Amino acid sequence: MAQPLTVGAEEEFLLVDPDSGAAVPAFEAVIAAAPSNGAAQRLKPEVSAAVVEAVTEPHRELSLLADDVRSLRSAAAVAAEMAGCAVLACGTELVPGPYMPPTSGSRYRAIHRKYGALVFGHIPCGLHVHVGMPDREHAVRVSNHLRAWLPTLQALAANSPISLGRETGYASFRSTWWSYTPVAGPAPLFTDAAHYNALLDSLVASGVILDRKMAYWFARPAEEVPTIEIRVMDVCPTSDTVILLAGLTRALVATCLQAVERDAQLPPVPEQLLSAAHWQAARYGLEGDALDMSSGRPLPAWTLVERLVKHVTPALSDAGDLALVNDLLVELRNSGSWAGRQRKIIQEGGNLTDVAAYLRSLFLK
């Protein structure tokens, strides 16, 4: 039996004042305080100076990925405390605060000049899962097969119902905000890697995006490593949820790779219906109906989660992940979605500081 595909995670964490929960521009202080055990090299800047990104190594076993995720979260939490702040794993800023400057560096300053308030009106924090690919050609073709399933992953990860002090009405407001950036949303269909590269080169030449890394599609071949990167998910409060989503994502990619290798026909996915499915996932998450891509009809979100698991069960079994993924799904279903849990705190009389404290309490779990 072939080895499982490698899988890695990038998590974007918000840096906040420990008391108020408001974002603070503390990235440089956090990095300076990071333990000198290798973690510092894997805590990286993002566009906002109030965000730190933790980047795991690629792993073939979910248990090793889990260890890596927890180790990086621990390093980030310790460094943040030493720098006088705290880390939150939530998809958007909870508490209104002062304008956050861009991270130092020529690329981030250029992004700031290009997009201004569009970028810095909100601070979005996502979870990006990388799955190893044989080559770029396979990554592009796998992306075509992923499209119909990504709204379900988006709903599972929804963790941003509150933004800048307001209940937004969306389970994943990060997804909704992010759709306003250029070259975002569902990836187009591509005939091959040459088609992908030509379009990306045209977008850079047009000046709409500054470089190839700014193609913020929900799935894309990575530019620097031989992976496909799935970017549709909010960052999640616990490492267990990260492992659940990484396991499901790898199994979905492996299933799509098999379809590519047998030259299976792509299922019909009308573009407007796909956009509607992503909107529905952002709006309701796991709490309401989702859009069934095969019929165009609404179905309970958990029904589509069950379909996804059934679709990828052979790949989960091959990787030895089936029992763990099922256990984590049961736990999530019984406890409620992360968007729902944040809302419940407010509905029961809590405030934004209580939500921030709750999320902080989960960070190392």
Side-chain angles (χ1 to χ4, degrees):
M1 184 175 66
Q3 284 188 315
L5 301 173
T6 59
V7 60
E10 298 171 349
E11 296 187 271
E12 296 167 344
F13 302 133
L14 186 64
L15 303 174
V16 301
D17 180 273
D19 297 319
S20 69
V24 293
F27 165 74
E28 290 184 351
V30 170
I31 292 299
S36 57
N37 59 357
Q41 285 69 45
R42 296 194 286 136
L43 296 178
K44 300 181 180 294
E46 261 300 327
V47 174
S48 171
V51 175
V52 64
E53 183 181 54
V55 181
T56 74
E57 300 288 355
H59 299 281
R60 295 192 188 275
E61 297 180 26
L62 277 189
S63 61
L64 296 179
L65 178 62
D67 290 343
D68 203 354
V69 167
R70 293 186 179 105
S71 175
L72 283 170
R73 284 185 168 223
S74 178
V78 169
E81 184 176 8
M82 293 177 65
C85 62
V87 278
L88 288 187
C90 55
T92 47
E93 287 177 89
L94 295 175
V95 179
Y99 174 83
M100 286 296 110
T103 300
S104 59
S106 59
R107 182 173 184 266
Y108 294 116
R109 288 195 296 270
I111 291 171
H112 177 260
R113 289 193 299 271
K114 180 74 175 179
Y115 304 110
L118 180 64
V119 170
F120 293 94
H122 294 272
I123 302 176
C125 294
L127 164 66
H128 306 154
V129 175
H130 285 257
V131 182
M133 286 281 98
D135 51 46
R136 194 173 187 81
E137 194 71 49
H138 281 84
V140 169
R141 295 182 65 194
V142 164
S143 171
N144 292 339
H145 284 265
L146 285 171
R147 287 159 30 103
W149 297 100
L150 294 185
T152 303
L153 289 177
Q154 181 182 6
L156 271 169
N159 181 42
S160 50
I162 300 166
S163 182
L164 297 176
R166 300 184 63 182
E167 159 63 72
T168 65
Y170 285 78
S172 175
F173 183 74
R174 182 200 69 90
S175 300
T176 303
W177 176 86
W178 198 245
S179 68
Y180 287 101
T181 58
V183 194
L189 283 172
F190 296 104
T191 54
D192 52 26
H195 181 200
Y196 178 91
N197 290 331
L199 176 58
L200 208 51
D201 289 342
S202 295
L203 288 167
V204 174
S206 75
V208 171
I209 58 176
L210 302 181
D211 54 42
R212 294 169 66 92
K213 291 182 180 180
M214 293 192 72
Y216 295 135
W217 291 311
F218 291 151
R220 67 182 188 184
E223 287 300 311
E224 297 177 348
V225 289
T227 68
I228 186 166
E229 180 183 6
I230 314 305
R231 304 174 49 87
V232 75
M233 295 166 279
D234 289 352
V235 71
C236 292
T238 67
S239 56
D240 276 352
T241 312
V242 175
I243 298 310
L244 165 64
L245 292 165
L248 280 172
T249 300
R250 175 169 68 175
L252 177 58
V253 168
T255 302
C256 292
L257 180 59
Q258 291 172 0
V260 165
E261 290 177 339
R262 66 173 183 271
D263 203 22
Q265 185 175 357
L266 281 168
V269 180
E271 296 298 322
Q272 192 58 53
L273 194 64
L274 181 59
S275 294
H278 279 292
W279 180 89
Q280 192 90 346
R283 178 69 171 84
Y284 299 109
L286 294 173
E287 263 68 53
D289 283 342
L291 197 57
D292 176 23
M293 296 299 298
S294 61
S295 67
R297 302 290 184 181
L299 286 174
W302 276 105
T303 298
L304 294 188
V305 172
E306 291 164 359
R307 286 189 181 180
L308 170 62
V309 174
K310 182 178 180 180
H311 180 63
V312 304
T313 286
L316 287 171
S317 296
D318 289 345
D321 297 339
L322 183 59
L324 175 59
V325 164
N326 279 332
D327 287 347
L328 292 173
L329 273 173
V330 168
E331 180 182 349
L332 182 62
R333 189 164 193 173
N334 289 343
S335 299
S337 74
W338 291 116
R341 284 185 246 189
Q342 289 188 46
R343 286 178 171 141
K344 186 178 180 182
I345 293 171
I346 301 298
Q347 291 163 0
E348 292 180 349
N351 56 31
L352 297 177
T353 303
D354 296 325
V355 176
Y358 174 67
L359 292 172
R360 280 186 64 189
S361 74
L362 297 169
F363 188 74
L364 297 179
K365 294 186 177 179

